[in-house]
Every structure is written in C-alpha cells, then in structure tokens.
Amino acid sequence: MDAIKLIKSTEEAFYGTGASEDDIKNAQERLRLQFSDDYIEYLKLYGAAMVNGHSLTGISKSKQLDVVENTLREKEIDNRISDDLYVIENTTMDGIIIWQTKNRMIYESSFTGIRIICKSLSDYLENYVLSKR
C-alpha cells in the first residue's frame, strides 16, 4: 500500500479532513511554485498531519503545520534554499528542515548543507516517519 495512504492506519497519527483544490492552488500561488503530485495527494487526503512524532506541513490554520508559513519563514532564514523547494517538515532538531520539489525529490537542509535523502514523499514517509527506527 502507498505510504501516504498508510498514515490512516497508523496508531500515532492525527490529521485533518483534507484540503480543497482552491486551498492547494492558493498555497502554490503564495509560494510561487508547484507542489509535487504526491504532496498534492497527501494534502487532499489529510490537509496536514502529525505522525509518529513528526509534524508534517500542509494546509492548516496552525502556523506550526502550515506549508506556506513554514516555507516563507525558512527561506527567509536560509538563503541557500532554491525557489522551487517547500517545507514538508521542520524537525525542530539541530536546524534540520525537510524540503520537497515539484519533481518529488526530498531534501534535508541543516547547518552543514543540503542533501537529497529520498525520491518521493512516500519514500520519506516509509523510511523516516512510519518506520520503527
């Protein structure tokens, strides 16, 4: 099963009812970028989610979980971040931020640099969020 859909079967998961097409379009317009197809699927299903101690951004009234608020704030702080990246998780540990691009790639930024860590949101969920490591 797709890791995005597995969130619903996870005991330690809290999520919304999903975001509308208009909400997603407005978020993309505010950020002047396009979300990946898998992130859009996640937004439509959950809006935003907290899973296994991970606060995943999305379309949310909570500034802590809102993708627009997080992305604008983190891009203001870190000038190394390219225009096409948006925050999917602010780990609040050691300056580590998890980003994604329209092409689905997942990046991790920290004080030491930026690196690719996964090829899709599903890979990130499966290997970092839903795994028991």
Side-chain angles (χ1 to χ4, degrees), residues 7-25:
I7 290 174
K8 283 191 179 182
S9 63
T10 303
E11 284 183 35
E12 303 258 342
F14 305 93
Y15 46 85
T17 56
S20 71
E21 294 276 346
D22 284 342
D23 289 338
I24 294 167
K25 181 182 174 190

Side-chain angles (χ1 to χ4, degrees), residues 59-118:
I59 308 296
S60 176
K61 291 179 180 160
S62 163
K63 287 185 178 186
Q64 176 188 352
L65 294 177
D66 187 70
V67 64
V68 173
E69 295 291 330
N70 274 274
T71 301
L72 293 174
R73 182 182 60 246
E74 294 304 325
K75 283 184 175 182
E76 191 173 296
I77 293 168
D78 191 342
N79 62 5
R80 301 171 301 168
I81 304 304
S82 66
D83 291 340
D84 62 337
L85 290 169
Y86 51 91
V87 174
I88 61 168
E89 183 179 9
N90 181 338
T91 69
T92 67
M93 296 183 338
D94 301 327
I96 296 172
I97 308 294
I98 309 301
W99 305 84
Q100 188 173 34
T101 63
K102 180 184 178 183
N103 70 1
R104 303 179 82 180
M105 300 301 282
I106 304 290
Y107 295 79
E108 176 187 273
S109 68
S110 67
F111 300 125
T112 59
I114 302 169
R115 65 186 181 107
I116 295 173
I117 59 169
C118 294

Side-chain angles (χ1 to χ4, degrees), residues 1-7 46 121-123 125-126 130:
M1 179 182 266
D2 181 10
I4 293 172
K5 292 181 177 145
L6 278 176
I7 290 174
Y46 306 112
L121 182 59
S122 286
D123 287 347
L125 293 171
E126 187 175 327
L130 299 173

